[in-house]
Amino acid sequence: MTRFEVVFQGQVQPGAALDQVRANVGKLFQVSGSQLDALFSGRRIVIKQGLDQVAAEKYRIALERAGAQCSIVPMDEQATDAPPAAPEPSAPAAQPTAAPERPAANSRVVPRDEFMAAFSDVEAPDLDIAPLGADMQDEYDAFTPLPIDLSALSLAPVGSDMGELKKDEPGQVPNTDHLKLSDQ
């Protein structure tokens, strides 16, 4: 059975306002700010993958209702169909040549959900994990005491009153013995 992926490249439908489409897509995927900027960067973003045709069509319809244009690409043919789809993918294709230390395209991390799909094409440095027992703190200078005169300060003895407010003594309660209740 053929599986499909929903691909978004930040394109809006003709006649749709970009700000309104961004707001609609933000509500649809519950993202804002930099994540929304990443979705509308023009790069090829896989919104969801591993779908059957009916589920992929549901995603496409939802995005079209929001005013965005997306495409449904068979997963086994994504490498052959994606470049001729639009002129924007040529820019991401040029990025691997500028950064040769990036891993090959076949070692791409598969996003676990729609939220993480926005970050699937983000280039991050390949950082190693420090060995066990390594000092992770940056180098720092020896402690230099500040030139503050503390000679006027002193410590109170243990158990002394540190200036807590004393509770007011209860006021005098008036004598009400001479008062009676009567039914009238």
Side-chain angles (χ1 to χ4, degrees), residues 27-45:
K27 287 179 189 174
L28 182 65
F29 292 114
Q30 299 175 352
V31 295
S32 63
S34 62
Q35 297 162 347
L36 198 56
D37 291 338
L39 282 172
F40 282 90
S41 66
R43 291 183 294 167
R44 182 180 188 271
I45 306 242

Side-chain angles (χ1 to χ4, degrees), residues 4-29:
F4 298 90
E5 64 184 11
V6 180
V7 177
F8 180 62
Q9 294 180 334
Q11 297 173 343
V12 298
Q13 293 187 7
L18 179 62
D19 293 336
Q20 183 64 37
V21 174
R22 283 176 59 96
N24 291 344
V25 170
K27 287 179 189 174
L28 182 65
F29 292 114

Side-chain angles (χ1 to χ4, degrees), residues 11-175:
Q11 297 173 343
V12 298
Q13 293 187 7
L18 179 62
D19 293 336
Q20 183 64 37
V21 174
R22 283 176 59 96
N24 291 344
V25 170
K27 287 179 189 174
L28 182 65
F29 292 114
Q30 299 175 352
V31 295
S32 63
S34 62
Q35 297 162 347
L36 198 56
D37 291 338
L39 282 172
F40 282 90
S41 66
R43 291 183 294 167
R44 182 180 188 271
I45 306 242
V46 177
I47 301 293
K48 186 75 173 177
Q49 63 183 5
L51 300 172
D52 58 12
Q53 180 128 20
V54 175
E57 282 295 321
K58 288 180 182 179
Y59 274 87
R60 184 188 60 77
I61 291 169
L63 281 166
E64 285 182 355
R65 284 185 188 154
Q69 288 183 347
C70 69
S71 58
I72 299 173
V73 180
M75 289 182 67
D76 54 350
E77 298 174 7
Q78 67 184 0
T80 58
D81 290 346
E88 284 85 4
S90 63
Q95 288 176 352
T97 59
E101 68 274 356
R102 185 171 179 185
N106 59 1
S107 66
R108 187 175 120 197
V109 176
V110 178
R112 66 176 181 263
D113 56 14
E114 295 88 11
F115 178 76
M116 292 307 294
F119 302 102
S120 63
D121 291 329
V122 174
E123 291 183 25
D126 186 20
L127 300 175
D128 293 332
I129 296 176
L132 182 65
D135 186 12
M136 299 299 294
Q137 184 174 355
D138 295 333
E139 296 297 323
Y140 58 91
D141 296 331
F143 173 71
T144 305
L146 297 174
I148 299 175
D149 182 23
L150 302 175
S151 62
L153 300 177
S154 63
L155 294 175
V158 176
S160 65
D161 185 12
M162 295 298 296
E164 295 176 5
L165 296 174
K166 297 194 185 277
K167 295 182 181 178
D168 293 334
E169 293 184 19
Q172 186 176 12
V173 179
N175 185 5

